[in-house]
Amino acid sequence: MQFQSKKILITAGPTYEPIDPVRFIGNRSTGKMGIAIAEAFAKQGALVELVLGPTHLRPTNKNINCHLVETGAEMYAECLKYFDTCDVAIMSSAVADYKPVEVASQKIKKSDATITLTLEKTTDILFELGKLKKQQLLVGFALETENLIENATSKLIRKNLDLIVANYSSTAGEGFGFDTNKVIIIDRNNKMYNFELKQKEQVAQDIVDVVEKYLK
Ligand code: CTP
């Protein structure tokens, strides 16, 4: 029970940014990795606040409070409720980076003309939490298609993180939709923990073990 009475905030899954009442901008994240992390911490006695975007997957451990959200704005608002008092925050969700400037109140009808959607940036939740950080250990994810270490390290610094979990989205078996993942965890002193391709449940346990080393 290495995390008895510790509070962990975790985001998981995609976000959906509405275009009209029936359409949205989203992505292929299933939330599987983040839910596995929530389960792994809960198994070690932690109290977990899981902020979960739209997915059919659900956690099972009763130490996990699951807060269902749809948009990035809702996810951000929910995180702000729990960030202040948590010991560790792990942002594994795939927040849509852009949302429509206007949401149509009725279903957009098709016509022969092309249509243009104007998009604006969503709030970068992890970046904002990095600015608010005090005692919390802040952990981010970096899903990259090239220059993994370089891009992940620059995210670690830019977002004021303690650890970043980096993985490639291009190799078979990694990332969205797969049951397996291959990650490298990097800290602020450039120390790297390199792991093999494994089941997401095992990856989650590796993340728990590394986080434990850094917990004050
Ligand atoms: N993240 C977040 N809120 C956002 C976008 C991302 O909290 N609006 C978090 C993710 O949960 C993840 C980390 O930021 O932990 C990395 O997200 P990513 O999209 O890879 O990084 P970006 O900063 O958006 O950079 P880019 O998309 O250009 O690679």
Side-chain angles (χ1 to χ4, degrees), residues 91-93 95 97 122-126 140-141 143 155 158-159:
M91 301 289 110
S92 75
S93 60
V95 184
D97 284 329
T122 56
T123 302
D124 187 328
I125 302 168
L126 185 56
F141 269 71
L143 179 71
K155 258 173 217 178
R158 180 161 45 87
K159 301 195 187 192

Side-chain angles (χ1 to χ4, degrees), residues 123-199:
T123 302
D124 187 328
I125 302 168
L126 185 56
F127 181 77
E128 295 304 321
L129 297 187
K131 288 196 281 187
L132 297 173
K133 190 172 82 164
K134 292 188 194 88
Q135 81 289 350
Q136 304 89 339
L137 190 86
L138 188 57
V139 184
F141 269 71
L143 179 71
E144 306 292 342
T145 55
E146 56 182 357
N147 306 327
L148 182 66
I149 306 293
E150 200 183 314
N151 285 335
T153 305
S154 89
K155 258 173 217 178
L156 172 86
I157 302 306
R158 180 161 45 87
K159 301 195 187 192
N160 192 26
L161 313 180
D162 298 290
L163 294 168
I164 192 150
V165 183
N167 72 286
Y168 269 126
S169 73
S170 53
T171 317
E174 287 182 62
F176 288 180
F178 287 102
D179 289 338
T180 49
N181 208 354
K182 182 179 182 334
V183 306
I184 299 174
I185 304 178
I186 308 169
D187 78 4
R188 293 182 73 87
N189 298 317
N190 259 327
K191 183 169 169 59
M192 289 181 207
Y193 302 85
N194 247 295
F195 297 98
E196 297 304 309
L197 182 74
K198 37 177 110 172
Q199 294 294 312

Side-chain angles (χ1 to χ4, degrees), residues 57-151:
L57 301 177
R58 294 288 180 270
T60 55
N61 193 299
K62 62 173 177 22
N63 284 344
I64 302 172
N65 293 323
C66 187
H67 311 277
L68 300 178
V69 296
E70 192 161 303
T71 65
E74 288 167 6
M75 187 171 273
Y76 180 39
E78 210 57 26
C79 284
L80 288 180
K81 290 185 195 168
Y82 306 107
F83 184 66
D84 231 26
T85 56
C86 77
D87 299 289
V88 183
I90 302 179
M91 301 289 110
S92 75
S93 60
V95 184
D97 284 329
Y98 292 90
K99 65 179 180 183
V101 170
E102 279 173 35
V103 181
S105 60
Q106 303 298 329
K107 189 182 167 203
I108 299 169
K109 291 292 185 186
K110 68 171 170 288
S111 71
D112 289 336
T114 60
I115 63 166
T116 304
L117 277 179
T118 307
L119 307 177
E120 63 185 350
K121 268 177 80 176
T122 56
T123 302
D124 187 328
I125 302 168
L126 185 56
F127 181 77
E128 295 304 321
L129 297 187
K131 288 196 281 187
L132 297 173
K133 190 172 82 164
K134 292 188 194 88
Q135 81 289 350
Q136 304 89 339
L137 190 86
L138 188 57
V139 184
F141 269 71
L143 179 71
E144 306 292 342
T145 55
E146 56 182 357
N147 306 327
L148 182 66
I149 306 293
E150 200 183 314
N151 285 335

